[in-house]
Amino acid sequence: RGDPQAVGAGGAMKPYYERGGITIYHGDCREILPHVQADVLVTDPPYGMAYQSNRGADHAAIEGDQSTEARDAILAAWGDRPAIVFGRWDQPRPNGVVARLIWSKAPDPGMGDLSFPWGNSDEEIYVIGTGFSGKRRVANVITMGKPPVNGRSHPTPKPVALMAHLIERCPTGTILDPFMGSGTTLRAAKDLGRKAIGIEIEERYCEIAAKRLSQEVLPFGA
């Protein structure tokens, strides 16, 4: 699975992209994780919802999204170091959660069962470990519209500003996103001047992320 050249003989690593403190590896994160050094994990993993976009072949099913197995394996290997992990109310939470945040996409009701009068417009965000801080205390509900989905982009993207909001409150050091997708976590880290590592099993998302990261730093609020 993934790029067989990502981890070569003797554990040597071959980055898909490496520039300005940001590194991407193409391959299975369970195989690559032991070979990277990072301090804070920030990720939106597959967590068992078996998401399948209805927008056609450009949005295939997300790799590993039939269960929380991949998420749980990575978190077990990560241990008690600080982590921020996205999830959903009807799926099991990971172990070691110390706080729950909510990303509210309201008033957008989302898709799902259109015959049901309430749409799911939020996602849970789990905080694991210690060392999180900020200039001021903020609410655990973060209201922010979701970015558009189009073309070959990832089917479940997160806003760069949302990831920046989370990373700004993370402990110092290198950010790791083992389920990188189209690179939103890395883009936010770059905009904040943070070093970051991303791992992604789908090469087309590595390509999208590399193009996003090749752009100049984007000012927030623009």
Side-chain angles (χ1 to χ4, degrees), residues 27 113 129 151 162:
D113 182 359
L162 172 63

Side-chain angles (χ1 to χ4, degrees), residues 100-113:
R100 183 204 60 167
L101 312 180
I102 297 293
W103 172 33
S104 171
K105 295 168 268 189
D108 184 347
M111 298 300 292
D113 182 359

Side-chain angles (χ1 to χ4, degrees), residues 120-136:
N120 186 40
S121 62
D122 70 82
E123 293 184 31
E124 296 191 332
I125 307 170
Y126 308 118
V127 180
I128 298 170
T130 61
F132 298 92
S133 62
K135 294 180 180 178
R136 61 185 180 88

Side-chain angles (χ1 to χ4, degrees), residues 108-183:
D108 184 347
M111 298 300 292
D113 182 359
L114 299 183
S115 67
F116 193 66
W118 295 281
N120 186 40
S121 62
D122 70 82
E123 293 184 31
E124 296 191 332
I125 307 170
Y126 308 118
V127 180
I128 298 170
T130 61
F132 298 92
S133 62
K135 294 180 180 178
R136 61 185 180 88
R137 202 160 188 246
V138 296
N140 72 327
V141 177
I142 307 162
T143 302
M144 192 175 295
K146 63 183 182 181
V149 178
N150 52 56
R152 282 164 45 86
S153 65
H154 197 274
T156 59
K158 300 297 181 287
V160 174
L162 172 63
M163 304 314 295
H165 175 95
L166 300 173
I167 291 172
E168 283 180 315
R169 290 157 178 82
C170 285
T172 59
T174 300
I175 302 293
L176 171 66
D177 187 346
F179 303 98
M180 180 192 70
S182 59

